[in-house]
Amino acid sequence: MINVLFFAQVREQLELSNLLVAATEDLQTTNDLRLHLSNKGDKWANALASDRLLVAVNQTISQWDASVQDGDEIAFFPPVTGG
């Protein structure tokens, strides 16, 4: 299983902080996982739009082509701004 975590506005939009997803051959990258979840409906597609989202694999900021494996922790969160 892949443990998927959602933070900040993503968590608020989905009304969900985490989700377990079965690791399958179709889910090879973080973008594959994002697209898989986006197909759950409009709310998911809006919350997981890649142009306003960051991803981390096992607590390390990653790119959208990063590999995903069974047992990984994947976190989706918006960019952090400060000032």
Side-chain angles (χ1 to χ4, degrees):
M1 299 297 278
I2 300 167
N3 187 24
V4 184
L5 306 175
F6 307 105
F7 292 97
Q9 291 96 335
V10 179
R11 179 181 62 225
E12 292 171 12
Q13 285 180 288
L14 297 176
E15 300 174 347
L16 189 66
S17 62
N18 72 307
L19 176 70
L20 291 176
V21 176
T24 65
E25 290 182 18
D26 294 340
L27 302 178
Q28 297 292 313
T29 68
T30 52
N31 195 54
D32 292 341
L33 178 60
R34 184 188 66 79
L35 292 172
H36 171 77
L37 295 173
S38 292
N39 286 330
K40 293 172 70 77
D42 288 341
K43 175 170 78 170
W44 289 82
N46 289 333
L48 298 174
S50 65
D51 63 335
R52 58 178 180 230
L53 194 66
L54 297 175
V55 64
V57 177
N58 299 322
Q59 301 181 5
T60 300
I61 299 277
S62 301
Q63 299 298 315
W64 290 112
D65 60 354
S67 295
V68 173
Q69 301 178 63
D70 190 29
D72 280 347
E73 177 187 88
I74 309 299
F76 293 112
F77 53 98
V80 178
T81 60

